[in-house]
Structures are given as structure tokens and as C-alpha cells.
Amino acid sequence: VSLAIRSLRNRKEKDEAIYFLNERVKELSTIYRVNNILQNESHSIDEVFTKIGNLLPAGWQFVEVCESLIQFDHKAYHTPNYKPSPFSQKAEINTQDGKSGFIEVIYTEEKPSAHEGPFLKEERDLINTLAEMIQVHYNKKLNEEVLIKSRANLNSIFDNTDVGHLLLDDKYKIISFNQRFANSSAVAAGIKLEVNKNFIDLPLTNRKDFALTNFTKVATNLTPIEYETSYTTNETNYFFNISIAPVRSASGLLGFCLSAYDITKRKLMELEHQKIISELTQHNRDLQQFAYIVSHNLRAPLANILGLNAALKQPLPEETKEHLLSYIEISAQKLDEVICDLNEILQVRGDVVKIKEQVQLHTLATNVTSSIEQVMIESHATIELDFTAADTVLAIRSYMVSIFYNLISNSIKYARPQHPPHIRICTERNNDGYILIHFKDNGMGINLKKYGTQLFGLYKRFHLHLQGKGMGLFMVKAQVEAMGGRIDVKSTPEIGTEFTISLKEV
């Protein structure tokens, strides 16, 4: 019964993971399709809102009872079966020229309660993102048209927009800019704007050639270009949508209008969606691996027990029955071992409440080696410790003890014959704010070309002449990832292996 319940639970979790993954794909697909509609310059505003309204229901959970309404500038665009409903989500649209409206998504019948009524939290994020995309698109087009029509109104437009603007002459000299540009994208890029200064000569780090290339394209084709860019300032990421438009008169090119719209919120939302999809995908892989274990590693001992039990029902000599009972006991023990392993893995996967603390690596390594002192003496193993670069790391202490124990034990277990194991453990800091812990040995090594994709798999073994059940490296990887880190490996057969664990410094 217990096994049946566990199997049903795993299957349910797998189905739920796949379902939510599909929902996130639907949401991202909706964002992608709406963006394509907005980018099509041949559509009128009526065509844009009609097309967007018709595709909105496909992004929501209960498509079959989902309808939508877009109201903007006193006009309404809705799907055929739309009607007012108590099950509704709305997001406002407000543009720079004073026009306003909203997007509304409704269910025509009641559905199970989720985050807000029958709607998911991700669906609230989706409708807000779509409203912001429409608002950004409308504002951008409006700004470009107004700026090209009248340089005389430039200052008033600059002071009343959510978009940062910078006006240059045809030699890249700064003519004017608004505070939005100076306080957002200029700050993020690490430059200080001054009228009459050459924009290209400002310290744009390694982006000078990129900027010149874009300005040259606009000057040559006399058409706007648009792209996204990002900056990192004080470990904070900023994202901007940049548009460079030519300012021209009948006599030719007068200069450039550079518009910068802060899309940090939207990009972070997109990155969060990607993270969710990645986590769901990994969760799905874990479920598939657990399902494989249940169907293979549990099936063999269970089949043995059932077969031996059937044999015991037959008239047999007492001695034979005793042998059969001993075999049943062995199979039951194997069954129990697999279940215990799965429980341990699930505990690591789900144990998100453990508190990180500053762990002193030299003390930890010394304690671990002391606990296996007899094994080290018998194998003539030596360990070299060098924590000069970093002796403390923010981590879960029990996980670090397990990681050190497993990696050191493996180095001793898989030593080459006639070569006493020598293990070097050292640390370094990289430029990305990570502490790297290296475990290097002179053991048998692993053929990574052949076994690299299976190295951290559950119950995977590569030296079958030695005892083991293939749990150690799987648990090491699970514990490292639970602390937000990663593990990499280099190995050469008959030379040795080096594991590198990367953990955030703070």
C-alpha cells in the first residue's frame, strides 16, 4: 500500500509539474505573439487591439470559458462571447497623451479558486506585462512622431514623459536631454551628460564601437533602429529599450534622437518566468528519474519477495524454507535501502528551511579527516589543505560536512593500485563573487566522454569492481545546488579527478 501511494504521489507531482510548465509556456507564447503584433507597423490601432484581444484567452488557464475586452480611448474591442462577469482581471493602460483604457480577461463561469479568484498569480503578472507592453509601444511611437515633427516643442515633451530622451546633432554633439535620461540610463551606463559635449567621447567603456555602428546605420538609411541593452551598476542590473531615430529636414540629416525606456521590471519578470520554467523542467527530470528508480530498483527485490512467497506456499523441506526465508529477508533489506535513499534525496530537495552560516573550511576538513583516520592510515592517504584564499564560506554546515566526507572518501576508495591517494583541497575567489573549493586527487579518474552525462546520476557506478551503490556524487550535487551553488568536474583516466564547488561568497 505504501509503495502504491508513493507511486501515485510521484505520478501526481509529475503531472502537476508538466501542467504548470505548459501554463508558463502559454504565457510566454502570448507575450511573444502580442509583441509581434505591436511590431507590425502596417496595422492600424483598431487592428492591433482587435488582434491582441482575440489571442488573449489562449494565455489563460481555462481557455474554453475565457473571454477578453480591451477598452482604449472610448473604444471597445472584445471577443465574440464577452460579457460582464464577477470572475475578472483588469490592468490599466495610460499613455502620455492622456488617453487611457484597460485590458480585461474574464471567465464566463466559476472555476476553482487560485491566487485571486480563479486566476493564478502568474496570470496577474501576465496581464500587467501585456498592458505595459501596449503602453510602452504606444508611448514610443507617439514620442518619435512628436520629436520629428517639432524640435521647438522638444523641452516640454522631454519634461513630461516616462521615456528618457537625448538629442544629438549630426556630429554627435549633445543638444538637449531630459532628467529621465540623465537619472536613469546615463547613470546606469556610468556617464555624466553635458550640453555641447560629444556623446561618443564620453566614457562608454567597451560600447563606443557599438554606438558608432548604430548611429552610422541610422544616418545612412534615415530610418530608426531599436534594440535592448543592459548595464550593471553596484551589482544591480538595469535593462533598457533603446531607440535611435533620425531628425531630418528637407535639406537632410539634422541629428539623432536617442530614446531610452526602462524595461527593468519587465525583463526581471521575463527572467523570473525563465527561472520558473527551468526549475519546473529540472523538477520534471527528477520525477522521471525517481519513476525510473521505482520501476527498476524497487521492482527486482519486490519480484523476488513475491516469487519466494509463492514458493513457500508449496510443500517444501524445512531446510529449503529457511533458505527461502533468508532470501526474502535479503530482498526486503534491499527494498528498504532504496526507500531510505529516496527519502534522503527528497529531504535534501525539500529542505529549504535550513539556515546558512559561516563555515570554517579548515576546521571542517580536519574534523572530517579525523573521522576517517583509520581508513586513511590503512590506505596511506595524505591530504593537503590550502584555504589561504578563503577559509570561511556561507553555507549549510551539515551539507558541507556531507560534501567533504563524500568527496574525500571517494578519492580514497577509487585510488589507483600501488599509488597511495593524495588529495589536495584548496580555495580561490573569482571575479563573479564566488568562492571556489577544489578537490583534486591522483586516483583512477573517470572517462568523461563516455560517462560525463551520467556522473551525478542516482545509482550510477563506473568502477564496478569496487563496492558502492552510486549515491555519493548524486547527494553532493543535490546539496551543492540546494545551497545555490554548482559543481564541475575535470578528470583523466589513470591520472586523477578534480571537483570544483562554487558557492556565493555572501
Side-chain angles (χ1 to χ4, degrees):
V1 172
S2 173
L3 291 173
I5 291 172
R6 183 176 299 279
S7 178
L8 289 173
R9 185 183 297 123
N10 287 342
R11 181 177 299 174
K12 180 181 178 183
E13 290 176 352
K14 177 181 177 182
D15 291 343
E16 287 177 352
I18 293 173
Y19 175 80
F20 284 114
L21 176 61
N22 289 335
E23 288 300 308
R24 302 296 82 75
V25 171
K26 280 168 53 179
E27 292 160 9
L28 293 177
S29 175
T30 300
I31 292 172
Y32 175 78
R33 293 169 67 189
V34 168
N35 184 63
N36 284 344
I37 292 172
L38 292 173
Q39 297 305 317
N40 193 327
E41 299 291 337
S42 65
H43 291 155
S44 66
I45 192 69
D46 290 338
E47 290 173 323
V48 167
F49 285 142
T50 299
K51 287 178 177 291
I52 292 175
N54 286 332
L55 68 82
L56 282 180
W60 265 254
Q61 184 177 194
F62 302 109
V63 180
E64 68 279 1
V65 294
C66 186
E67 303 290 336
S68 69
L69 165 69
I70 298 178
Q71 185 168 306
F72 184 74
D73 195 25
H74 308 295
K75 289 185 178 182
Y77 311 85
H78 58 79
T79 50
N81 297 320
Y82 169 84
K83 61 182 179 181
S85 170
F87 315 112
S88 168
Q89 273 190 324
K90 281 187 179 181
E92 293 186 356
I93 303 172
N94 296 292
T95 59
Q96 295 167 197
D97 58 351
K99 295 178 181 178
S100 63
F102 60 86
I103 300 175
E104 182 183 22
V105 173
I106 64 104
Y107 288 144
T108 57
E109 62 184 58
E110 186 175 2
K111 289 294 181 182
S113 179
H115 177 70
E116 46 180 52
F119 298 97
L120 302 172
K121 177 184 181 298
E122 290 81 5
E123 290 169 346
R124 163 57 56 196
D125 295 337
L126 175 61
I127 198 171
N128 287 339
T129 297
L130 297 177
E132 183 180 352
M133 289 172 63
I134 293 171
Q135 184 171 302
V136 168
H137 177 76
Y138 191 92
N139 287 342
K140 184 181 66 177
K141 291 186 67 174
L142 179 67
N143 288 329
E144 289 176 353
E145 292 170 359
V146 173
L147 286 171
I148 293 174
K149 285 179 182 178
S150 176
R151 286 184 64 187
N153 294 326
L154 183 62
N155 289 333
S156 62
I157 295 172
F158 273 11
D159 294 334
N160 295 280
T161 179
D162 291 334
V163 180
H165 293 289
L166 173 70
L167 190 64
L168 309 174
D169 69 10
D170 59 339
K171 304 298 183 184
Y172 315 121
K173 185 174 70 175
I174 299 174
I175 297 174
S176 183
F177 56 88
N178 66 351
Q179 286 303 307
R180 176 71 64 179
F181 194 97
N183 295 337
S184 59
S185 54
V187 171
I191 57 178
K192 183 178 181 180
L193 301 175
E194 291 183 35
V195 174
N196 293 326
K197 287 290 182 90
N198 191 298
F199 180 71
I200 299 298
D201 290 339
L202 294 175
L204 296 172
T205 62
N206 60 344
R207 305 190 184 210
K208 181 174 181 178
D209 292 340
F210 178 72
L212 276 173
T213 299
N214 287 328
F215 283 122
T216 301
K217 286 181 181 178
V218 174
T220 302
N221 301 322
L222 293 179
T223 56
I225 65 170
E226 185 177 346
Y227 58 92
E228 291 183 2
T229 190
S230 64
Y231 302 94
T232 301
T233 304
N234 297 327
E235 297 186 357
T236 301
N237 295 321
Y238 299 93
F239 300 87
F240 295 91
N241 183 285
I242 305 296
S243 175
I244 304 176
V247 179
R248 53 181 176 172
S249 66
S251 59
L253 182 71
L254 297 175
F256 306 91
C257 177
L258 194 153
S259 304
Y261 190 83
D262 190 339
I263 57 171
T264 301
K265 181 179 177 181
R266 190 192 83 196
K267 291 296 287 188
L268 292 177
M269 190 180 300
E270 291 174 0
L271 293 173
E272 182 64 23
H273 282 158
Q274 293 172 4
K275 180 182 177 183
I276 290 171
I277 291 173
S278 177
E279 289 175 351
L280 287 173
T281 302
Q282 181 59 47
H283 186 53
N284 188 41
R285 290 197 191 102
D286 290 344
L287 289 175
Q288 289 175 342
Q289 190 168 41
F290 290 160
Y292 179 86
I293 293 165
V294 169
S295 64
H296 290 74
N297 294 73
L298 295 182
R299 180 182 295 172
L302 185 59
N304 285 342
I305 291 172
L306 293 173
L308 293 167
N309 183 60
L312 282 172
K313 294 178 180 179
Q314 305 300 320
L316 296 169
E318 285 300 319
E319 184 179 351
T320 303
K321 285 185 177 182
E322 289 179 6
H323 281 300
L324 293 179
L325 287 171
S326 67
Y327 292 146
I328 288 176
E329 182 180 2
I330 292 171
S331 295
Q333 288 173 350
K334 290 182 178 178
L335 198 60
D336 183 64
E337 285 181 5
V338 175
I339 292 172
C340 289
D341 289 344
L342 288 176
N343 283 334
E344 188 176 353
I345 293 162
L346 291 172
Q347 183 179 352
V348 173
R349 293 292 195 204
D351 200 352
V352 295
V353 297
K354 281 188 176 290
I355 305 300
K356 290 183 179 180
E357 58 181 295
Q358 291 293 339
V359 178
Q360 189 176 41
L361 298 177
H362 191 278
T363 301
L364 184 146
T366 302
N367 290 340
V368 170
T369 53
S370 296
S371 69
I372 57 172
E373 183 177 5
Q374 188 59 39
V375 175
M376 293 183 61
I377 292 173
E378 292 173 358
S379 63
H380 305 288
T382 56
I383 294 185
E384 178 185 354
L385 303 177
D386 181 4
F387 299 118
T388 306
D391 190 30
T392 58
V393 65
L394 188 64
I396 299 171
R397 181 178 298 276
S398 60
Y399 286 3
M400 293 300 294
V401 171
S402 174
I403 290 165
F404 270 64
Y405 177 83
N406 274 301
L407 293 181
I408 293 172
S409 297
N410 276 1
S411 292
I412 295 173
K413 181 187 295 184
Y414 299 110
R416 282 181 290 159
Q418 311 306 319
H419 290 77
H422 178 77
I423 307 160
R424 173 175 165 78
I425 307 175
C426 62
T427 55
E428 67 169 308
R429 283 185 166 91
N430 67 11
N431 296 327
D432 298 325
Y434 281 84
I435 290 178
L436 278 56
I437 309 173
H438 301 280
F439 295 79
K440 188 173 183 178
D441 64 40
N442 62 339
M444 294 180 181
I446 304 165
N447 187 337
L448 294 181
K449 290 184 179 180
K450 186 175 181 180
Y451 300 116
T453 57
Q454 307 173 44
L455 186 60
F456 296 102
L458 187 56
Y459 298 137
K460 298 295 184 182
R461 297 175 58 211
F462 311 105
H463 300 289
L464 301 181
H465 63 287
L466 295 173
Q467 288 187 350
K469 58 180 181 178
M471 270 284 291
L473 289 182
F474 180 90
M475 291 300 298
V476 167
K477 186 173 188 291
Q479 289 168 333
V480 169
E481 291 178 349
M483 294 187 292
R486 58 173 291 176
I487 182 168
D488 299 289
V489 61
K490 299 177 184 176
S491 188
T492 304
E494 302 305 319
I495 298 296
T497 301
E498 179 179 1
F499 290 97
T500 300
I501 294 172
S502 304
L503 296 173
K504 261 293 188 183
E505 188 165 359
V506 292

